Every structure is written in C-alpha cells, then in structure tokens.
Coordinates of all heavy atoms in Angstrom, one line a residue:
K4 N 0.8 -1.2 0.0 CA 0.0 0.0 0.0 C 0.9 1.3 0.0 O 0.5 2.3 -0.6 CB -1.0 0.0 1.2 CG -0.3 0.1 2.5 CD -1.3 -0.1 3.6 CE -0.5 -0.2 4.9 NZ -1.2 -0.8 6.0
L5 N 2.0 1.2 0.7 CA 2.8 2.4 0.7 C 3.4 2.7 -0.6 O 3.6 3.9 -1.0 CB 3.9 2.3 1.8 CG 3.4 2.1 3.2 CD1 4.5 1.9 4.2 CD2 2.5 3.3 3.6
D6 N 3.8 1.7 -1.4 CA 4.3 1.9 -2.8 C 3.3 2.7 -3.6 O 3.6 3.6 -4.4 CB 4.7 0.6 -3.4 CG 5.9 0.0 -2.8 OD1 6.7 0.7 -2.2 OD2 6.0 -1.3 -3.0
C7 N 2.0 2.2 -3.5 CA 0.9 2.9 -4.2 C 0.8 4.4 -3.9 O 0.6 5.2 -4.7 CB -0.4 2.2 -4.0 SG -0.5 0.6 -4.8
I8 N 0.9 4.6 -2.6 CA 0.7 6.0 -2.1 C 1.8 6.9 -2.7 O 1.6 7.9 -3.2 CB 0.7 6.0 -0.6 CG1 -0.6 5.4 0.0 CG2 0.9 7.5 0.0 CD1 -0.5 5.1 1.5
E9 N 3.1 6.3 -2.6 CA 4.2 7.1 -3.1 C 4.1 7.3 -4.6 O 4.4 8.4 -5.1 CB 5.5 6.4 -2.8 CG 5.9 6.5 -1.3 CD 7.1 5.8 -1.0 OE1 7.5 4.9 -1.7 OE2 7.7 6.1 0.1
R10 N 3.6 6.3 -5.4 CA 3.5 6.4 -6.8 C 2.4 7.3 -7.2 O 2.5 8.2 -8.1 CB 3.3 5.1 -7.4 CG 4.5 4.6 -8.2 CD 4.3 3.3 -8.8 NE 4.5 2.3 -7.8 CZ 3.8 1.1 -7.7 NH1 2.9 0.8 -8.6 NH2 4.0 0.3 -6.7
L11 N 1.2 7.2 -6.6 CA 0.0 7.9 -7.0 C -0.1 9.3 -6.4 O -0.8 10.2 -7.0 CB -1.2 7.1 -6.6 CG -1.4 5.7 -7.3 CD1 -2.5 5.0 -6.7 CD2 -1.6 5.9 -8.8
L12 N 0.6 9.5 -5.3 CA 0.6 10.9 -4.7 C 2.0 11.4 -4.4 O 2.5 11.1 -3.4 CB -0.2 10.8 -3.3 CG -1.6 10.3 -3.4 CD1 -2.2 10.0 -2.1 CD2 -2.5 11.4 -4.1
P13 N 2.5 12.0 -5.4 CA 3.9 12.5 -5.2 C 4.1 13.6 -4.2 O 5.2 13.9 -3.7 CB 4.3 13.0 -6.6 CG 3.0 13.2 -7.3 CD 2.0 12.3 -6.7
D14 N 3.0 14.3 -3.8 CA 3.1 15.4 -2.8 C 3.4 14.8 -1.4 O 2.7 14.0 -0.8 CB 1.7 16.1 -2.8 CG 1.8 17.3 -1.9 OD1 2.5 17.3 -0.8 OD2 1.0 18.3 -2.2
K15 N 4.6 15.1 -0.9 CA 5.1 14.6 0.3 C 4.2 15.0 1.5 O 4.1 14.3 2.5 CB 6.6 15.0 0.6 CG 7.5 14.3 -0.4 CD 8.9 14.7 -0.2 CE 9.7 14.0 -1.3 NZ 11.1 14.3 -1.3
N16 N 3.6 16.2 1.4 CA 2.7 16.6 2.5 C 1.5 15.7 2.7 O 1.1 15.4 3.8 CB 2.3 18.1 2.3 CG 3.4 19.0 2.5 OD1 4.3 18.9 3.3 ND2 3.4 20.1 1.7
I17 N 0.9 15.3 1.5 CA -0.2 14.4 1.6 C 0.2 13.0 2.0 O -0.5 12.4 2.8 CB -0.9 14.4 0.2 CG1 -1.5 15.8 -0.1 CG2 -2.0 13.3 0.2 CD1 -2.2 15.9 -1.5
Q18 N 1.4 12.6 1.5 CA 1.9 11.3 2.0 C 2.1 11.3 3.5 O 1.7 10.3 4.2 CB 3.3 11.0 1.4 CG 3.2 10.7 -0.1 CD 4.6 10.5 -0.7 OE1 5.7 10.6 0.0 NE2 4.7 10.4 -2.0
D19 N 2.6 12.4 4.1 CA 2.8 12.4 5.5 C 1.4 12.4 6.3 O 1.3 11.8 7.3 CB 3.6 13.7 5.9 CG 5.0 13.6 5.4 OD1 5.5 12.5 5.1 OD2 5.7 14.6 5.4
K20 N 0.4 13.1 5.7 CA -0.9 13.1 6.3 C -1.5 11.7 6.3 O -2.1 11.3 7.3 CB -1.9 14.1 5.5 CG -1.6 15.6 5.8 CD -2.6 16.4 5.0 CE -2.2 17.9 5.1 NZ -3.1 18.7 4.4
I21 N -1.4 11.0 5.2 CA -1.9 9.7 5.1 C -1.2 8.8 6.1 O -1.9 8.0 6.8 CB -1.8 9.1 3.7 CG1 -2.7 9.9 2.7 CG2 -2.0 7.6 3.6 CD1 -2.6 9.6 1.3
N22 N 0.1 8.9 6.2 CA 0.8 8.1 7.1 C 0.4 8.3 8.6 O 0.2 7.4 9.3 CB 2.3 8.4 7.0 CG 3.2 7.3 7.7 OD1 2.9 6.1 7.6 ND2 4.2 7.7 8.4
K23 N 0.1 9.5 8.9 CA -0.3 9.9 10.3 C -1.7 9.3 10.5 O -2.0 8.8 11.5 CB -0.4 11.4 10.5 CG -0.7 11.8 11.8 CD -0.5 13.3 12.0 CE -0.8 13.8 13.4 NZ -0.6 15.2 13.6
E24 N -2.6 9.4 9.5 CA -4.0 8.9 9.6 C -3.9 7.3 9.8 O -4.6 6.8 10.6 CB -4.8 9.1 8.3 CG -5.2 10.6 8.1 CD -5.8 10.9 6.8 OE1 -6.0 10.0 6.0 OE2 -6.2 12.0 6.6
L25 N -3.0 6.7 9.1 CA -2.9 5.2 9.2 C -2.5 4.8 10.6 O -3.1 3.9 11.2 CB -1.9 4.7 8.2 CG -2.3 4.7 6.7 CD1 -1.2 4.3 5.8 CD2 -3.4 3.7 6.5
I26 N -1.5 5.5 11.1 CA -1.0 5.2 12.5 C -2.1 5.4 13.5 O -2.3 4.6 14.4 CB 0.3 6.0 12.8 CG1 1.4 5.5 11.9 CG2 0.6 5.9 14.2 CD1 2.6 6.4 11.9
I27 N -2.7 6.6 13.5 CA -3.7 7.0 14.5 C -5.0 6.2 14.4 O -5.5 5.6 15.3 CB -3.9 8.5 14.5 CG1 -2.7 9.2 14.9 CG2 -5.1 8.9 15.4 CD1 -2.7 10.7 14.7
S28 N -5.6 6.2 13.2 CA -7.0 5.7 13.1 C -7.0 4.2 12.8 O -7.7 3.4 13.4 CB -7.7 6.4 12.0 OG -7.9 7.8 12.4
C29 N -6.3 3.8 11.7 CA -6.4 2.4 11.3 C -5.7 1.4 12.2 O -6.4 0.4 12.6 CB -5.8 2.3 9.9 SG -6.6 3.3 8.6
K30 N -4.5 1.6 12.5 CA -3.7 0.6 13.2 C -4.2 0.5 14.7 O -4.2 -0.5 15.3 CB -2.3 0.9 13.2 CG -1.7 0.6 11.8 CD -0.2 0.7 11.8 CE 0.2 0.4 10.4 NZ 1.6 0.0 10.3
K31 N -4.7 1.7 15.2 CA -5.1 1.7 16.6 C -6.6 1.5 16.7 O -7.2 1.5 17.8 CB -4.7 3.0 17.3 CG -3.2 3.1 17.4 CD -2.9 4.4 18.2 CE -1.4 4.5 18.3 NZ -1.0 5.7 19.1
A32 N -7.3 1.3 15.6 CA -8.7 1.0 15.5 C -9.5 2.1 16.3 O -10.3 1.9 17.1 CB -9.1 -0.3 16.0
V33 N -9.2 3.4 16.0 CA -9.8 4.5 16.6 C -11.0 5.0 15.8 O -11.0 4.8 14.6 CB -8.8 5.7 16.7 CG1 -9.4 7.0 17.2 CG2 -7.6 5.3 17.6
G34 N -12.0 5.6 16.4 CA -13.1 6.1 15.7 C -14.0 5.0 15.1 O -14.1 3.9 15.7
D35 N -14.4 5.2 13.9 CA -15.3 4.2 13.2 C -14.6 2.9 13.0 O -15.2 1.8 12.9 CB -15.7 4.8 11.8 CG -16.8 5.9 12.0 OD1 -17.3 6.0 13.1 OD2 -17.0 6.6 11.0
F36 N -13.3 2.8 12.8 CA -12.6 1.6 12.6 C -12.7 0.7 13.8 O -12.5 -0.5 13.7 CB -11.1 1.8 12.3 CG -10.9 2.5 11.0 CD1 -10.2 3.7 11.0 CD2 -11.3 2.0 9.8 CE1 -10.0 4.3 9.7 CE2 -11.1 2.6 8.6 CZ -10.4 3.8 8.6
G37 N -12.9 1.2 15.0 CA -12.9 0.4 16.2 C -14.3 -0.1 16.5 O -14.5 -0.9 17.5
R38 N -15.3 0.2 15.7 CA -16.7 -0.2 16.0 C -16.8 -1.7 15.6 O -16.3 -2.2 14.6 CB -17.7 0.6 15.1 CG -17.7 2.0 15.5 CD -18.7 2.7 14.5 NE -18.9 4.1 14.9 CZ -19.8 4.5 15.9 NH1 -20.6 3.6 16.4 NH2 -19.9 5.8 16.2
K39 N -17.6 -2.4 16.4 CA -17.9 -3.8 16.1 C -18.6 -4.0 14.8 O -18.4 -4.9 14.1 CB -18.7 -4.4 17.3 CG -17.9 -4.6 18.6 CD -18.7 -5.2 19.7 CE -17.8 -5.2 20.9 NZ -18.6 -5.7 22.1
M40 N -19.5 -3.0 14.5 CA -20.2 -3.0 13.3 C -19.2 -3.0 12.1 O -19.4 -3.6 11.1 CB -21.2 -1.9 13.2 CG -22.1 -1.9 12.0 SD -23.3 -0.6 11.8 CE -23.3 0.3 13.3
A41 N -18.2 -2.2 12.2 CA -17.2 -2.1 11.1 C -16.5 -3.4 10.9 O -16.2 -3.8 9.7 CB -16.2 -0.9 11.4
T42 N -16.1 -4.1 12.0 CA -15.5 -5.4 11.8 C -16.4 -6.4 11.2 O -16.0 -7.1 10.3 CB -15.1 -5.9 13.2 OG1 -14.2 -4.9 13.8 CG2 -14.3 -7.2 13.1
R43 N -17.7 -6.4 11.6 CA -18.6 -7.3 10.9 C -18.8 -7.0 9.5 O -18.9 -7.9 8.6 CB -19.9 -7.3 11.7 CG -19.9 -8.0 13.0 CD -21.3 -8.2 13.6 NE -22.2 -7.0 13.5 CZ -22.3 -6.0 14.4 NH1 -21.6 -6.1 15.5 NH2 -23.1 -5.0 14.2
A44 N -18.9 -5.7 9.2 CA -19.2 -5.3 7.8 C -18.0 -5.6 6.9 O -18.2 -5.8 5.7 CB -19.5 -3.8 7.8
A45 N -16.8 -5.7 7.4 CA -15.7 -6.0 6.6 C -15.8 -7.4 5.9 O -15.2 -7.6 4.9 CB -14.4 -6.0 7.4
H46 N -16.7 -8.2 6.5 CA -16.9 -9.6 5.9 C -18.1 -9.6 5.0 O -18.3 -10.6 4.3 CB -17.1 -10.6 7.1 CG -15.9 -10.6 8.0 ND1 -14.7 -11.2 7.6 CD2 -15.7 -10.1 9.2 CE1 -13.9 -11.1 8.6 NE2 -14.4 -10.5 9.6
T47 N -18.9 -8.6 4.9 CA -20.1 -8.6 4.1 C -20.2 -7.6 3.0 O -21.0 -7.8 2.1 CB -21.4 -8.5 5.0 OG1 -21.3 -7.2 5.7 CG2 -21.5 -9.6 6.1
L48 N -19.4 -6.5 3.2 CA -19.5 -5.4 2.1 C -18.3 -5.6 1.2 O -17.3 -6.1 1.5 CB -19.4 -4.1 2.8 CG -20.5 -3.6 3.7 CD1 -20.2 -2.3 4.4 CD2 -21.8 -3.6 3.0
L49 N -18.5 -5.1 0.0 CA -17.4 -4.9 -0.9 C -16.4 -4.0 -0.3 O -16.8 -3.0 0.4 CB -17.8 -4.4 -2.3 CG -18.8 -5.4 -3.1 CD1 -19.3 -4.7 -4.3 CD2 -18.0 -6.6 -3.5
P50 N -15.1 -4.1 -0.6 CA -14.1 -3.2 0.0 C -14.3 -1.8 -0.2 O -14.2 -1.0 0.7 CB -12.8 -3.7 -0.7 CG -13.0 -5.1 -1.0 CD -14.4 -5.2 -1.4
A51 N -14.7 -1.4 -1.4 CA -15.0 0.1 -1.7 C -16.2 0.6 -0.9 O -16.2 1.7 -0.4 CB -15.2 0.3 -3.2
E52 N -17.2 -0.3 -0.7 CA -18.4 0.1 0.1 C -18.0 0.2 1.5 O -18.4 1.2 2.2 CB -19.5 -1.0 0.0 CG -20.1 -1.0 -1.4 CD -21.1 -2.2 -1.5 OE1 -20.9 -3.2 -0.8 OE2 -22.0 -2.1 -2.3
W53 N -17.2 -0.7 2.0 CA -16.7 -0.6 3.4 C -16.0 0.7 3.7 O -16.2 1.4 4.6 CB -15.8 -1.8 3.8 CG -15.5 -1.9 5.2 CD1 -16.3 -2.6 6.2 CD2 -14.4 -1.3 5.9 NE1 -15.7 -2.4 7.4 CE2 -14.6 -1.6 7.3 CE3 -13.4 -0.5 5.5 CZ2 -13.7 -1.2 8.2 CZ3 -12.5 0.0 6.5 CH2 -12.6 -0.4 7.8
W54 N -15.0 1.1 2.8 CA -14.3 2.3 2.9 C -15.2 3.5 2.9 O -15.0 4.5 3.6 CB -13.2 2.4 1.9 CG -11.9 1.8 2.4 CD1 -11.3 0.6 2.1 CD2 -11.0 2.4 3.3 NE1 -10.2 0.4 2.8 CE2 -10.0 1.5 3.6 CE3 -11.0 3.6 4.0 CZ2 -8.9 1.8 4.4 CZ3 -10.0 3.9 4.9 CH2 -8.9 3.0 5.1
S55 N -16.2 3.5 2.0 CA -17.1 4.6 1.8 C -17.8 4.8 3.1 O -18.1 6.0 3.5 CB -18.1 4.4 0.7 OG -17.4 4.4 -0.5
T56 N -18.1 3.8 3.9 CA -18.9 3.8 5.1 C -18.0 4.1 6.3 O -18.4 4.9 7.2 CB -19.7 2.5 5.3 OG1 -20.4 2.2 4.1 CG2 -20.6 2.6 6.5
Y57 N -16.9 3.5 6.4 CA -16.1 3.5 7.7 C -14.8 4.2 7.6 O -13.9 4.1 8.5 CB -15.9 2.1 8.2 CG -17.1 1.4 8.5 CD1 -17.7 0.4 7.6 CD2 -17.8 1.7 9.7 CE1 -18.9 -0.2 7.9 CE2 -19.0 1.0 10.0 CZ -19.5 0.1 9.1 OH -20.7 -0.5 9.4
R58 N -14.6 5.0 6.6 CA -13.3 5.7 6.4 C -13.0 6.7 7.6 O -11.9 7.0 7.8 CB -13.2 6.4 5.1 CG -14.3 7.5 4.9 CD -14.2 8.0 3.5 NE -15.4 8.9 3.3 CZ -16.0 8.9 2.2 NH1 -15.7 8.1 1.2 NH2 -17.1 9.7 2.0
G59 N -14.0 7.1 8.3 CA -13.8 7.8 9.5 C -12.8 8.9 9.5 O -12.9 9.9 8.7
G60 N -11.8 8.8 10.3 CA -10.8 9.9 10.4 C -9.6 9.8 9.4 O -8.6 10.3 9.7
C61 N -9.8 9.1 8.3 CA -8.8 9.0 7.3 C -9.2 9.5 6.0 O -9.2 8.8 5.0 CB -8.4 7.5 7.2 SG -7.6 6.8 8.6
P62 N -9.6 10.8 5.9 CA -10.1 11.3 4.6 C -9.1 11.2 3.5 O -9.4 10.9 2.4 CB -10.5 12.7 4.9 CG -9.7 13.1 6.2 CD -9.5 11.8 6.9
N63 N -7.8 11.5 3.8 CA -6.8 11.5 2.7 C -6.5 10.0 2.2 O -6.5 9.8 1.0 CB -5.5 12.1 3.2 CG -5.7 13.6 3.5 OD1 -6.0 14.4 2.6 ND2 -5.6 13.9 4.7
F64 N -6.4 9.1 3.2 CA -6.1 7.7 2.8 C -7.4 7.1 2.2 O -7.2 6.4 1.2 CB -5.7 6.9 4.0 CG -5.3 5.5 3.7 CD1 -4.3 5.2 2.9 CD2 -6.0 4.5 4.3 CE1 -4.0 3.9 2.6 CE2 -5.7 3.2 4.1 CZ -4.6 2.9 3.2
A65 N -8.5 7.4 2.6 CA -9.8 6.9 2.1 C -9.9 7.3 0.6 O -10.4 6.5 -0.2 CB -11.0 7.3 2.9
R66 N -9.6 8.5 0.3 CA -9.8 9.0 -1.1 C -9.0 8.1 -2.1 O -9.5 7.7 -3.1 CB -9.4 10.5 -1.2 CG -9.8 11.2 -2.4 CD -9.5 12.7 -2.3 NE -9.8 13.3 -1.0 CZ -8.9 14.0 -0.3 NH1 -7.7 14.2 -0.8 NH2 -9.2 14.5 0.8
I67 N -7.7 7.9 -1.7 CA -6.9 7.1 -2.6 C -7.3 5.6 -2.6 O -7.3 4.9 -3.6 CB -5.4 7.3 -2.4 CG1 -4.5 6.6 -3.4 CG2 -5.0 6.8 -1.0 CD1 -4.1 7.4 -4.5
T68 N -7.7 5.1 -1.4 CA -8.1 3.7 -1.3 C -9.3 3.4 -2.1 O -9.4 2.3 -2.7 CB -8.3 3.4 0.2 OG1 -7.1 3.7 0.9 CG2 -8.6 1.9 0.4
I69 N -10.3 4.2 -2.0 CA -11.5 4.0 -2.8 C -11.2 3.9 -4.3 O -11.8 3.1 -5.0 CB -12.6 5.1 -2.4 CG1 -13.1 4.8 -1.0 CG2 -13.8 5.0 -3.4 CD1 -14.0 5.9 -0.5
C70 N -10.4 4.8 -4.7 CA -10.0 4.8 -6.2 C -9.3 3.4 -6.5 O -9.7 2.8 -7.5 CB -9.0 5.9 -6.5 SG -9.8 7.5 -6.4
I71 N -8.4 3.0 -5.7 CA -7.7 1.7 -5.9 C -8.7 0.5 -5.9 O -8.7 -0.3 -6.7 CB -6.6 1.5 -5.0 CG1 -5.5 2.6 -5.2 CG2 -6.0 0.1 -5.0 CD1 -4.4 2.7 -4.2
L72 N -9.5 0.5 -4.8 CA -10.4 -0.7 -4.6 C -11.5 -0.7 -5.7 O -12.1 -1.8 -5.9 CB -11.0 -0.6 -3.2 CG -10.1 -0.8 -2.1 CD1 -10.8 -0.6 -0.7 CD2 -9.5 -2.2 -2.1
S73 N -11.8 0.4 -6.3 CA -12.9 0.4 -7.3 C -12.5 0.0 -8.7 O -13.3 -0.2 -9.6 CB -13.5 1.8 -7.4 OG -14.1 2.2 -6.1
Q74 N -11.2 -0.2 -8.8 CA -10.6 -0.6 -10.1 C -11.0 -2.1 -10.4 O -11.0 -2.9 -9.5 CB -9.1 -0.4 -10.2 CG -8.7 1.0 -10.2 CD -7.2 1.2 -10.2 OE1 -6.5 0.2 -10.5 NE2 -6.7 2.4 -10.0
S75 N -11.2 -2.4 -11.7 CA -11.5 -3.8 -12.1 C -10.2 -4.6 -12.0 O -9.1 -4.0 -12.3 CB -12.0 -3.8 -13.5 OG -13.3 -3.1 -13.5
P76 N -10.3 -5.9 -11.7 CA -9.1 -6.7 -11.7 C -8.5 -6.9 -13.1 O -9.0 -6.8 -14.1 CB -9.5 -8.0 -11.1 CG -11.0 -8.0 -11.0 CD -11.4 -6.6 -11.3

C-alpha cells in the first residue's frame, strides 16, 4: 500500500498526512474503525463500500483507497 501511495501521490505533505492517519486511526482502531459493526461489515461489504462507510478519520487515505479498490481486476 505504501508503494501505491508514493507512486500515485507525489506530494510529500499528503503522503505524511496519510501516514499519520494510518497510524492513528487504522492501526489503533480509533473512531469508526474500532466499531464492532465495522469489523462485521468487513466480511459482508465490498471493500470500496466498506471504505465509503467506515473511512472515519482517514479522509486522505480513504480517497486514494476508494480509487484503488474500485478498479477492475
């Protein structure tokens, strides 16, 4: 995921914001990521739908993730 971020977003300020969001919200399951409903939904929703719903405190990371997850294989 970090390779994608560096390739798709050359702006180092945005890369730093995304990294901070990942550490605070995603890895520590803070905010919407920590909800039991979010964990259950991860098994029933498509990845792009899940991100659209539970992106919570990661607006910068969510924007790029939804683009990547919405691509056809």
Side-chain angles (χ1 to χ4, degrees):
K4 69 186 168 199
L5 298 176
D6 289 338
C7 289
I8 292 169
E9 288 177 337
R10 253 183 277 146
L11 297 172
L12 298 168
D14 185 328
K15 291 179 183 177
N16 291 325
I17 295 176
Q18 290 176 4
D19 292 346
K20 286 180 184 180
I21 289 172
N22 195 41
K23 187 174 182 179
E24 289 174 359
L25 287 171
I26 292 167
I27 293 172
S28 297
C29 301
K30 291 190 179 197
K31 294 184 180 181
V33 173
D35 289 343
F36 293 122
R38 295 180 176 273
K39 291 179 183 179
M40 186 180 353
T42 303
R43 288 192 313 271
H46 301 286
T47 59
L48 296 176
L49 294 172
E52 291 174 333
W53 189 90
W54 268 103
S55 291
T56 306
Y57 297 103
R58 59 185 171 221
C61 293
N63 295 294
F64 184 59
R66 196 173 317 126
I67 186 95
T68 303
I69 289 170
C70 291
I71 293 168
L72 292 175
S73 297
Q74 293 179 11
S75 298

